[in-house]
Structure formats: structure tokens, C-alpha cells
Amino acid sequence: MNQLISCIIVDDEPLAVKLLESFVTKTPDLRLLGSFTDSVEAINAIKEQKPDLLFLDIQMPDLNGMELAHMIPSTTRAIFTTAFKEYAFESYEVSALDFLLKPIRYNKFLAAVEKAKQWYERENQDDAKSKSLFIRVDGELRNVSIENITYVSGMKDYVMFYLDGETKPLISHLTMKAVEAMLPTDKFLRVHRSYIIAVDKIKKIDRNDCIYIGEEIIHVPEGYQQAFRSFIETRSF
């Protein structure tokens, strides 16, 4: 990501704020817009400045971090910082990018920032992509919403698009490489030489790295497992 990630720190403990400020200062990808020990005061600044990222404590007086997270702009994402690990699950319900347990070490902080960078890079890629694709099927161009694609499978010089609510796939003369380049990378992942899946459409993943999606069970082979696990790790707890 070429542009710096703008951020705001919100924590009612001054020492915790100073530590996070020191981390932000020595991290080249971040630009600090401000720090707040008062969550009510912070929300006004957040709405006005619309930072990319919040480093947000959970247990605070007046307005706690979870309540504040429901009030932030849609373009802002939170990384929660707390001494209480029992809040971890709840943090993902408000689209948190990560959860840092106090006392926070710099290497953990850097890992969370890397997740934020990857998330914003995918968002920027999506902005440049269309919400639909024109797929040539039997000499005609079909306009297909990206949101309706469950998975894509390839066979020689043809690919099959499996869509929500459709019993038969759309078959087109394309390569898997071309399809992969057309689809947004935060929603679709190539998990096999012959399969690209919509991650949000996965029903479950079993212990043998088999993906259950639509009516298909896809085993992720060894060459794709590392990328697949890394991607899923950013969305799982």
C-alpha cells in the first residue's frame, strides 16, 4: 500500500497511549492523527477525520470500545487493545481487523498493522473492479453479478461458473488464470489448479482441508494450502 494508513489511538490509560504512540512513530506505514483518553471526545474526532484505523481499548468509562466501534465511519476499521481476552470473540462481530492482548509487544503490533495493510490493499483493488462480469456463453454475453458466483471450476480450455440459485453452471471458453485476474482477491481465492471459490460461500472446512461449498467438496492440495490457511487465518478465531 503506497499511501500511509491514518490512525487514531483511544485508550483511557495514559501509559497505554504513550506505548502505542511510540509503536506508531517507529512504524513507517502509519500516520497518527491523534490520541484520546476520553472515548466520548474521541468519537467526534473519528467522525470528522475518518481515519483508516483505530487502536481501540475496550474497557473505558462512559463509552466503551465495543459501543464506540458501532459508531465509527464505514471506512474505518478497528484493532482492539485490551487486557481481557474474553472480549476477543465479540470484537470480530464489529469487523475488527485484529485483537491485541495487553501488555502489547511490538512484534504483535506489527503483525496487526500488516493485516490492516492487506485489508486496505484488497479494498483498493475492489474499488477498481466492476461489480459484475460479462461472460460469453453460447455466443452471447451474460451479465453476471460477482456476488452471485459461488465457485468456478476449470476443465482444459473451459471454465464453469456456479451461481447462487442456478442448477447448471455457465460454461465459457476461458482460462482459470484470466478468471482469477478478474475476481476481487478479498472475496475469491484459488484453492486448487481447477477451482476458485467465493470465500463467503464456504459452508465449512474439515480437518483434512476439504472445503464444502455449494454441492461440491474440494480438497485443497499441498501447493495451495499455505496461501489458503493464511487467508482463512485473517478471518477466523
Side-chain angles (χ1 to χ4, degrees):
M1 183 174 181
N2 296 326
Q3 187 175 346
L4 294 178
I5 298 175
S6 60
C7 62
I8 283 178
I9 297 167
V10 186
D11 196 310
D12 65 327
E13 298 177 10
L15 289 178
V17 169
K18 286 187 178 296
L19 177 65
L20 287 171
E21 284 177 340
S22 71
F23 286 172
V24 171
T25 300
K26 62 182 180 181
T27 305
D29 301 304
L30 298 179
R31 177 168 63 94
L32 184 62
L33 300 181
S35 301
F36 298 88
T37 55
D38 185 315
S39 55
V40 176
E41 182 184 350
I43 192 61
N44 295 323
I46 292 165
K47 289 180 176 179
E48 180 181 340
Q49 299 186 63
K50 295 182 173 61
D52 298 318
L53 192 61
L54 290 183
F55 293 99
L56 181 58
D57 188 22
I58 293 179
Q59 280 207 327
M60 294 184 289
D62 299 325
L63 184 69
N64 69 44
M66 288 298 173
E67 293 168 335
L68 191 151
H70 285 286
M71 302 168 64
I72 63 178
S74 60
T75 54
T76 300
R77 285 294 180 270
I79 293 176
F80 281 107
T81 61
T82 182
F84 303 94
K85 62 182 178 181
E86 58 265 27
Y87 289 113
F89 182 77
E90 190 178 351
S91 72
Y92 289 98
E93 294 180 355
V94 290
S95 301
L97 291 179
D98 210 346
F99 180 92
L100 294 175
L101 196 60
K102 296 178 180 180
I104 300 168
R105 298 176 64 86
Y106 186 54
N107 64 323
K108 298 291 186 182
F109 177 88
L110 281 179
V113 171
E114 184 61 31
K115 283 187 180 181
K117 286 172 56 182
Q118 292 174 5
W119 190 87
Y120 280 106
E121 284 170 359
R122 291 194 295 265
E123 283 295 293
N124 290 337
Q125 288 173 2
D126 276 358
D127 289 343
K129 291 180 182 291
S130 173
K131 299 300 182 184
S132 63
L133 300 174
F134 283 97
I135 301 172
R136 189 174 296 279
V137 180
D138 295 330
E140 299 178 342
L141 289 174
R142 292 277 301 271
N143 190 9
V144 175
S145 170
I146 286 175
E147 295 295 327
N148 287 340
I149 299 173
T150 302
Y151 66 95
V152 182
S153 68
M155 185 174 61
K156 294 186 178 180
D157 297 327
Y158 291 87
V159 296
M160 292 170 282
F161 291 83
Y162 291 83
L163 310 177
D164 288 343
E166 299 281 346
T167 56
K168 293 182 179 180
L170 298 181
I171 302 174
S172 185
H173 190 272
L174 280 170
T175 65
M176 290 291 283
K177 185 175 181 180
V179 174
E180 188 175 12
M182 289 189 293
L183 295 173
T185 55
D186 72 319
K187 297 181 183 298
F188 291 87
L189 185 66
R190 191 163 184 177
V191 296
H192 189 284
R193 185 171 176 267
S194 302
Y195 288 97
I196 299 171
I197 62 164
V199 177
D200 289 344
K201 305 293 179 68
I202 295 174
K203 296 176 183 176
K204 67 175 181 177
I205 305 163
D206 70 20
R207 67 184 64 187
N208 297 314
D209 291 314
C210 288
I211 299 167
Y212 294 71
I213 187 167
E215 302 300 320
E216 192 75 53
I217 301 174
I218 303 166
H219 179 258
V220 183
E222 186 175 350
Y224 291 85
Q225 285 178 5
Q226 183 174 352
F228 173 67
R229 288 170 181 168
S230 296
F231 188 91
I232 295 300
E233 186 179 339
T234 66
R235 293 178 167 223
S236 62
F237 173 73

